Amino acid sequence: MSNAASTPFVRNAWYVAATPGEIDDKPLGRTICGERIVFYRGDDGRVAALEDFCPHRGAPLSLGRVVEGKLVCGYHGLEMGCDGKTIAMPGQRVRGFPAIRSFPVIEKHGFVWVWTGDPAQASEDELPHLHWADDPEWAYGGGLYHVKADYRLMIDNLMDLTHETYVHATSIGQPEIDETPCKTTVEGDSAVTSRFMNDIPAPPFWRMAMRAHGLPDDQKVDRWQICRYTPPSHVMIEVGVALAGHGGYEAPKDKKVYSIVVDFITPETETSMWYFWGMARNFRAQDKALTAQIREGQGKIFAEDLEMLERQQANLTRWPERRLLMLNIDAGGVQARKVIDKLVATEQAAQPAAA
Amino acid sequence: MSNAASTPFVRNAWYVAATPGEIDDKPLGRTICGERIVFYRGDDGRVAALEDFCPHRGAPLSLGRVVEGKLVCGYHGLEMGCDGKTIAMPGQRVRGFPAIRSFPVIEKHGFVWVWTGDPAQASEDELPHLHWADDPEWAYGGGLYHVKADYRLMIDNLMDLTHETYVHATSIGQPEIDETPCKTTVEGDSAVTSRFMNDIPAPPFWRMAMRAHGLPDDQKVDRWQICRYTPPSHVMIEVGVALAGHGGYEAPKDKKVYSIVVDFITPETETSMWYFWGMARNFRAQDKALTAQIREGQGKIFAEDLEMLERQQANLTRWPERRLLMLNIDAGGVQARKVIDKLVATEQAAQPAAA
Amino acid sequence: MSNAASTPFVRNAWYVAATPGEIDDKPLGRTICGERIVFYRGDDGRVAALEDFCPHRGAPLSLGRVVEGKLVCGYHGLEMGCDGKTIAMPGQRVRGFPAIRSFPVIEKHGFVWVWTGDPAQASEDELPHLHWADDPEWAYGGGLYHVKADYRLMIDNLMDLTHETYVHATSIGQPEIDETPCKTTVEGDSAVTSRFMNDIPAPPFWRMAMRAHGLPDDQKVDRWQICRYTPPSHVMIEVGVALAGHGGYEAPKDKKVYSIVVDFITPETETSMWYFWGMARNFRAQDKALTAQIREGQGKIFAEDLEMLERQQANLTRWPERRLLMLNIDAGGVQARKVIDKLVATEQAAQPAAA
């Protein structure tokens, strides 16, 4: 699975691997883009990412312990350094031990990011800028789902929100979504699908948000959804409602409520993914109870997609030769796949030929 | 799995797919002869059967809803017709959408029947006639088991009832079964194995039935078992006991108690099946408590076969080259397999050559 | 899996298949070295071992019953003899039935031993002599674990006890183990790795044993571990502690406490094993409560290895091409693998060429 030439993964990119709290005093083992990786905190508290394979006898290092910033194998006590080189082992000279692979890793914006491609190309500048992450006027809450489906099915899902009408009928879905055309544009490697619905009733989730924001929840609204894909597989969705007739997306702050749906989709294998979902909002940012309430509601809504995607994957595996339709509503996902295909092709062309 | 040429399934035949109660207001997804099929009730309440694959993005239609007789995909709202042609989809022109396969399906005799072969050959005339199904003097009760074994192992099982002595020792088994020779005859595509045991004690199940029928349960009986295989994989077994010396199978009605063991064996995959089992009886037909009691007893008895068949399948998979014995007691299953092989060969000869 | 040429199993050897209590009035089905075998007690109470495959229709004989020393198939009543030849079957002449394979089997020293190689070479003389097994001055307690890993990983584990410091830190591990060099010697087909640690504190398990033996548990001790591998995959470990300065392993009986860790490692498949573990001791041999207490403690300790070995196996399967290190601490396992490789090569050279 580590043969980049046969996988549909963009490699020279930062993927969200974990949330900081997942990597505490115990190491965390997680497969990212087909690579088994152990994450832990070194001496200075900085996260390190290594192949999860002890060079002594192949035990997973993630079963070990972290002692004074060194990763100690739980089998025979080999001490591993953050660079993949063995530091010490009781009774042994370790100079000739083979190194294991280390992966560039950064902790920033409330996430741990990992790079499984060419380390020489890994630059912090390539990290997405999450303006809300360190802004006290914004609050963020989110979670993690493991989904047994090709990660690109989740991109499709998020770039085409007409599914809300059917999958999320009781929370954010409403018939007006699929009655309103959407528009997809491409800007470089980014794809944007947007939909603006005017003078419609607000669905339950937004009525709650309006009440939380001090707005009346029984009036017609203008609603927007602006889905933005950026490589490798991040989807940020600006969503919101304004009291009808005040300018919609452009309405003054006291007439609207809005937030950003945050989706970091990280391939685990070719048919499974880690799905980091969340919501960033800039109203009542200090209200932790509201953060928890929104997080719980969003968690329930997003869980509704999982069975659909996993069963869709099973169908595609069963009928591999079938062509799918590419309608206007699918344009966002289609454009995202084109970007992925282009980046993968570029990376493969740059690879030395395998023996 | 849909390549008929490589599967041992007779295709131009009606298989039981479900009982009517399984297809209510929700669609039912079920794999039959390797085909993933969604069953639902259209506008007129008639059952429809379609490929379980939305032509839009491959979602399983069985996760959808039935709205006014139309099957609505649960992902993006595509409305599918009973003929496999898309009726509508919000915001889309659907005329060019590819059709999905629809399967001939009939609801009759208390079962839903499906045909996975050439639709042009599907005729209601080919349905087995179940004389007891609509006769108020008869009652029927039954159930469904999923069994991880080649469906032909169940035909073998039912066409050779000597196994009752060993597998069902405490209910319907008795040593007299395997001490009494059976006789197999072939009539066209049907095979019949019969055994008549005279002047023997009745086993527990039949003593119960005799009491229910008002007969003494402590007297010797004449017992019969007439197993009839008909294609593709239906086995009906006439079973009964008469007070000894009154003519056995031909005894007058007030001296005997009898019923029909009903077995519809439907392949799911090459190594799994849907097993619809039941019993039709013509004594105390209105006694629903008795129907429930017999159903529960039969369910327990037939469950005793499942582990044996699944472990037999595992052994055959492990030792694929081993030849099995074909004794006289196996003649019913052997003849049934000959019929299946002949029908499959005929169907394959009629197929256009694959590319 | 029965193709000896492709498996890493020594075949001409006695493996522990079961403990006598596992084979009571019901047959026991168990896979040994890739062979599905049914074990049962024949007429004279002697254990028999046969292929778990009824020659009639392939049902597993282990689902059957033992009636007067004959193994009766649970499906159609075929009666199988201890030699693999069918004795009888209701209503059938069985003379022409194909025989199934029978395996040499011996019950001795508290274990049932089976031989999956050439029966002509199976001799009771080849059984390991367990001097403690029938000696009233010794007591034995043990158990069985199923482990999803190559059986050779368990040999490695037991021939290198430095892992105790990390895996069994709270019971028998202590830093002095991996601070003290070990020494491996080879004697014919046997490999011995020994380690002697002087003037060290006793770890919790041994403090318990010292108290049980009437020795003070708060004094420094001399500790020893002598791991002895013999083919095919038996590891006996002499372990003990003596009050420091009294001669260690050679100390007088009233100054030391010692026992033998007994490990019979039996391959199930290429990546799974049956692990029979136990301890034989010659102090307070009649104290059954102590036997139970030690057995429970040892069971907990040995369970700590299982996840490590199973995850190590998963890593090796994932990275099959990786070379492992062979350090001095690994010498016992390395030498044992050399013996296994030599014996397998010898057996394969002696095999007639396959068609």
Side-chain angles (χ1 to χ4, degrees):
Chain A
M1 298 197 294
S2 59
N3 179 7
S6 67
T7 58
F9 308 136
V10 174
R11 295 261 166 199
N12 289 328
W14 293 109
Y15 288 98
V16 170
T19 48
E22 290 185 281
I23 308 169
D24 47 18
D25 49 338
K26 284 189 182 170
L28 170 72
R30 181 160 287 167
T31 296
I32 308 284
C33 294
E35 309 289 347
R36 293 190 180 209
I37 304 179
V38 53
F39 297 89
Y40 67 102
R41 293 188 183 278
D43 203 4
D44 49 3
R46 288 178 62 170
V47 177
L50 300 173
E51 245 175 3
D52 195 7
F53 187 98
C54 178
H56 174 219
R57 302 297 293 173
L61 291 165
S62 56
L63 286 183
R65 286 190 289 270
V66 182
V67 180
E68 297 170 5
K70 284 166 288 192
L71 181 57
V72 179
C73 180
Y75 204 175
H76 301 98
L78 182 145
E79 293 177 27
M80 176 55 66
C82 297
D83 54 359
K85 291 181 187 156
T86 302
I87 296 169
M89 184 170 169
Q92 307 296 332
R93 292 183 193 166
V94 302
R95 210 172 299 172
F97 282 26
I100 56 170
R101 193 171 160 194
S102 72
F103 298 89
V105 62
I106 294 175
E107 181 175 348
K108 195 162 180 181
H109 299 325
F111 295 100
V112 175
W113 309 77
V114 73
W115 179 282
T116 69
D118 176 9
Q121 300 185 42
S123 158
E124 193 167 331
D125 299 343
E126 303 280 329
L127 271 187
H129 177 60
L130 309 182
H131 68 84
W132 42 263
D134 306 294
D135 183 338
E137 295 202 4
W138 287 74
Y140 178 81
L144 169 60
Y145 287 141
H146 182 258
V147 191
K148 290 192 280 290
D150 185 325
Y151 73 102
R152 296 172 300 184
L153 296 184
M154 186 63 85
I155 299 177
D156 292 343
N157 175 283
L158 293 161
M159 293 298 288
D160 170 18
L161 299 183
T162 60
H163 80 271
E164 292 185 357
T165 308
Y166 303 93
V167 180
H168 312 305
T170 61
S171 53
I172 53 177
Q174 60 183 159
E176 290 80 2
I177 296 175
D178 55 18
E179 289 165 0
T180 306
C182 59
K183 186 180 160 193
T184 296
T185 58
V186 175
E187 305 164 12
D189 283 347
S190 162
V192 180
T193 295
S194 49
R195 177 182 279 115
F196 299 90
M197 296 153 279
N198 293 332
D199 205 32
I200 63 172
F205 178 86
W206 285 115
R207 288 206 300 275
M208 179 277 288
M210 292 172 82
R211 287 192 299 272
H213 197 51
L215 289 171
D217 69 351
D218 56 352
Q219 298 187 21
K220 291 286 183 74
V221 296
D222 299 335
R223 182 179 178 188
W224 60 91
Q225 301 168 323
I226 305 169
C227 314
R228 182 179 303 267
Y229 161 83
T230 53
S233 39
H234 310 328
V235 179
M236 303 289 142
I237 312 180
E238 290 185 73
V239 290
V241 296
L243 293 176
H246 287 86
Y249 181 77
E250 307 288 353
K253 270 201 158 189
D254 64 344
K255 300 293 186 200
K256 68 184 176 187
V257 57
Y258 59 99
S259 58
I260 302 170
V261 177
V262 176
D263 306 285
F264 295 114
I265 308 163
T266 301
E268 180 191 46
T269 68
E270 294 185 25
T271 54
S272 60
M273 75 184 91
W274 302 106
Y275 177 31
F276 295 87
W277 53 265
M279 184 173 280
R281 74 179 195 282
N282 80 339
F283 57 92
R284 288 174 58 183
Q286 307 310 321
D287 185 342
K288 292 192 175 173
L290 180 60
T291 302
Q293 182 191 346
I294 289 177
R295 183 188 182 286
E296 189 189 340
Q298 189 185 12
K300 282 181 188 163
I301 292 171
F302 282 29
E304 294 172 336
D305 290 291
L306 303 189
E307 184 184 7
M308 182 61 80
L309 263 66
E310 295 191 345
R311 303 256 325 252
Q312 182 190 17
Q313 177 65 55
N315 256 2
L316 298 179
T317 300
R318 164 75 178 74
W319 277 292
E321 76 294 346
R322 287 273 174 101
R323 301 295 297 258
L324 303 182
L325 291 175
M326 296 189 291
L327 308 176
N328 57 333
I329 58 171
D330 305 312
V334 168
Q335 294 302 333
R337 283 166 184 254
K338 282 189 186 170
V339 171
I340 291 171
D341 290 347
K342 187 194 72 175
L343 293 174
V344 168
T346 303
E347 289 185 7
Q348 291 180 357
Q351 293 248 333
Chain B
M1 298 199 294
S2 59
N3 178 7
S6 67
T7 58
F9 308 136
V10 175
R11 296 260 167 201
N12 289 328
W14 292 109
Y15 288 98
V16 171
T19 49
E22 290 185 282
I23 308 169
D24 47 18
D25 48 338
K26 282 189 183 172
L28 170 73
R30 180 161 287 167
T31 297
I32 307 283
C33 294
E35 309 290 347
R36 294 190 180 209
I37 303 178
V38 54
F39 297 89
Y40 68 102
R41 293 187 181 279
D43 202 3
D44 48 4
R46 288 179 62 170
V47 177
L50 300 173
E51 244 174 5
D52 195 8
F53 187 98
C54 178
H56 174 219
R57 301 298 293 173
L61 292 165
S62 56
L63 286 183
R65 287 190 288 270
V66 182
V67 180
E68 295 170 7
K70 284 166 288 191
L71 181 57
V72 179
C73 180
Y75 203 175
H76 301 98
L78 181 145
E79 293 178 27
M80 177 55 66
C82 297
D83 55 359
K85 290 180 187 156
T86 303
I87 296 170
M89 185 170 169
Q92 307 296 333
R93 292 183 192 167
V94 302
R95 209 172 300 173
F97 281 25
I100 55 170
R101 193 171 159 193
S102 73
F103 297 89
V105 63
I106 295 175
E107 181 176 348
K108 195 163 183 180
H109 300 324
F111 296 99
V112 175
W113 309 78
V114 73
W115 180 282
T116 69
D118 176 9
Q121 300 186 42
S123 159
E124 192 168 330
D125 299 342
E126 303 280 328
L127 271 188
H129 178 61
L130 309 183
H131 69 84
W132 43 262
D134 306 296
D135 184 338
E137 295 202 4
W138 287 74
Y140 177 82
L144 168 61
Y145 288 141
H146 182 258
V147 190
K148 290 190 282 289
D150 185 325
Y151 74 103
R152 296 172 300 183
L153 295 184
M154 187 62 86
I155 299 176
D156 293 342
N157 174 283
L158 293 161
M159 292 299 288
D160 170 18
L161 299 183
T162 59
H163 79 271
E164 292 185 356
T165 309
Y166 303 93
V167 180
H168 312 306
T170 60
S171 53
I172 53 176
Q174 61 183 159
E176 290 80 2
I177 296 175
D178 56 17
E179 289 165 1
T180 307
C182 61
K183 187 180 160 193
T184 296
T185 59
V186 175
E187 305 164 11
D189 282 347
S190 163
V192 180
T193 296
S194 50
R195 177 182 279 115
F196 298 91
M197 296 152 278
N198 293 333
D199 206 32
I200 63 171
F205 179 86
W206 284 116
R207 289 207 299 275
M208 178 278 286
M210 292 172 82
R211 288 192 299 273
H213 198 50
L215 289 172
D217 71 349
D218 56 353
Q219 297 187 22
K220 290 287 183 72
V221 295
D222 299 335
R223 181 178 179 187
W224 60 92
Q225 301 169 324
I226 304 169
C227 313
R228 182 178 302 269
Y229 162 84
T230 54
S233 40
H234 310 328
V235 179
M236 302 289 143
I237 312 180
E238 290 185 74
V239 291
V241 296
L243 293 176
H246 286 87
Y249 181 77
E250 306 288 354
K253 271 201 158 187
D254 63 345
K255 302 292 186 200
K256 68 184 177 188
V257 56
Y258 60 98
S259 59
I260 301 171
V261 178
V262 176
D263 306 285
F264 295 114
I265 308 162
T266 301
E268 181 191 44
T269 69
E270 295 185 25
T271 54
S272 60
M273 76 184 90
W274 302 105
Y275 176 31
F276 295 87
W277 54 265
M279 185 174 278
R281 74 178 195 283
N282 79 340
F283 57 92
R284 289 172 59 183
Q286 306 311 319
D287 185 342
K288 292 192 175 174
L290 180 61
T291 302
Q293 182 190 347
I294 290 177
R295 183 188 182 289
E296 187 187 341
Q298 189 186 12
K300 282 181 188 163
I301 293 171
F302 283 29
E304 294 172 336
D305 290 291
L306 304 189
E307 184 185 7
M308 181 63 78
L309 263 66
E310 295 190 346
R311 301 257 325 254
Q312 182 190 15
Q313 177 66 54
N315 257 2
L316 298 179
T317 300
R318 166 73 179 75
W319 278 290
E321 77 294 346
R322 287 272 174 102
R323 301 295 298 257
L324 303 182
L325 291 175
M326 296 191 290
L327 308 177
N328 57 334
I329 58 171
D330 304 313
V334 169
Q335 295 301 333
R337 282 165 186 253
K338 281 189 187 168
V339 171
I340 291 170
D341 289 348
K342 187 194 72 174
L343 293 174
V344 168
T346 303
E347 290 185 6
Q348 291 179 357
Q351 294 248 335
Chain C
M1 298 199 292
S2 60
N3 179 7
S6 69
T7 58
F9 308 137
V10 176
R11 295 261 166 199
N12 289 328
W14 293 109
Y15 287 97
V16 171
T19 49
E22 289 186 282
I23 308 169
D24 48 18
D25 49 337
K26 283 189 182 171
L28 170 73
R30 180 161 287 166
T31 297
I32 308 284
C33 294
E35 309 290 347
R36 293 190 180 209
I37 303 179
V38 53
F39 297 89
Y40 68 101
R41 293 188 182 278
D43 203 4
D44 48 4
R46 288 180 61 171
V47 177
L50 300 173
E51 244 173 5
D52 195 9
F53 188 97
C54 178
H56 174 218
R57 301 298 292 173
L61 292 165
S62 56
L63 286 183
R65 286 190 289 269
V66 182
V67 179
E68 297 170 6
K70 283 166 288 192
L71 181 57
V72 180
C73 180
Y75 203 174
H76 300 98
L78 180 145
E79 292 177 28
M80 177 55 66
C82 297
D83 54 0
K85 290 181 187 154
T86 302
I87 296 170
M89 184 170 169
Q92 308 295 334
R93 292 183 193 168
V94 302
R95 209 172 300 173
F97 282 26
I100 56 170
R101 192 171 161 193
S102 72
F103 297 89
V105 62
I106 294 175
E107 181 176 347
K108 196 164 181 180
H109 298 325
F111 295 101
V112 175
W113 308 78
V114 73
W115 180 281
T116 68
D118 177 9
Q121 299 187 43
S123 159
E124 192 168 331
D125 299 342
E126 302 280 330
L127 272 188
H129 178 61
L130 309 182
H131 68 83
W132 43 263
D134 305 296
D135 183 337
E137 294 201 5
W138 287 74
Y140 178 81
L144 168 61
Y145 287 141
H146 182 257
V147 191
K148 290 191 281 291
D150 185 325
Y151 73 103
R152 295 172 300 184
L153 296 184
M154 187 62 85
I155 299 177
D156 292 343
N157 174 283
L158 293 162
M159 293 299 287
D160 170 18
L161 299 183
T162 60
H163 79 270
E164 292 184 356
T165 308
Y166 303 94
V167 180
H168 312 305
T170 61
S171 54
I172 52 177
Q174 59 183 159
E176 290 80 2
I177 295 176
D178 57 17
E179 289 165 1
T180 307
C182 60
K183 187 180 159 192
T184 296
T185 59
V186 177
E187 305 165 10
D189 282 348
S190 163
V192 180
T193 296
S194 49
R195 178 182 279 115
F196 299 91
M197 296 152 279
N198 293 332
D199 206 31
I200 63 171
F205 179 86
W206 285 115
R207 289 206 301 275
M208 179 276 288
M210 292 173 81
R211 289 192 300 272
H213 198 51
L215 289 172
D217 71 349
D218 56 352
Q219 298 187 20
K220 290 287 182 73
V221 296
D222 298 335
R223 181 177 178 188
W224 61 90
Q225 301 169 323
I226 305 170
C227 313
R228 182 178 303 268
Y229 162 83
T230 53
S233 40
H234 310 328
V235 179
M236 302 289 142
I237 312 181
E238 289 184 74
V239 290
V241 296
L243 294 175
H246 286 87
Y249 181 77
E250 305 289 353
K253 271 201 158 188
D254 63 344
K255 303 293 187 199
K256 69 184 175 187
V257 56
Y258 60 98
S259 58
I260 301 171
V261 177
V262 176
D263 306 285
F264 295 114
I265 308 161
T266 300
E268 181 191 44
T269 68
E270 295 185 24
T271 54
S272 61
M273 75 183 92
W274 303 106
Y275 176 31
F276 294 89
W277 53 266
M279 184 172 279
R281 73 178 195 283
N282 79 340
F283 56 92
R284 289 174 58 182
Q286 307 310 321
D287 184 342
K288 292 191 176 174
L290 180 61
T291 303
Q293 182 190 347
I294 290 176
R295 182 188 183 286
E296 189 188 339
Q298 189 186 12
K300 282 182 189 163
I301 292 171
F302 283 28
E304 293 172 336
D305 291 290
L306 304 188
E307 185 186 6
M308 182 62 79
L309 263 66
E310 296 190 346
R311 302 258 322 255
Q312 183 190 15
Q313 177 66 53
N315 256 3
L316 298 179
T317 300
R318 166 74 179 74
W319 278 291
E321 75 295 345
R322 287 273 173 101
R323 301 294 298 257
L324 303 182
L325 291 175
M326 297 190 289
L327 308 176
N328 56 333
I329 58 170
D330 304 313
V334 168
Q335 294 301 333
R337 282 165 184 254
K338 281 189 187 170
V339 171
I340 291 170
D341 290 348
K342 187 195 72 176
L343 293 175
V344 168
T346 304
E347 290 185 6
Q348 290 180 358
Q351 294 246 334

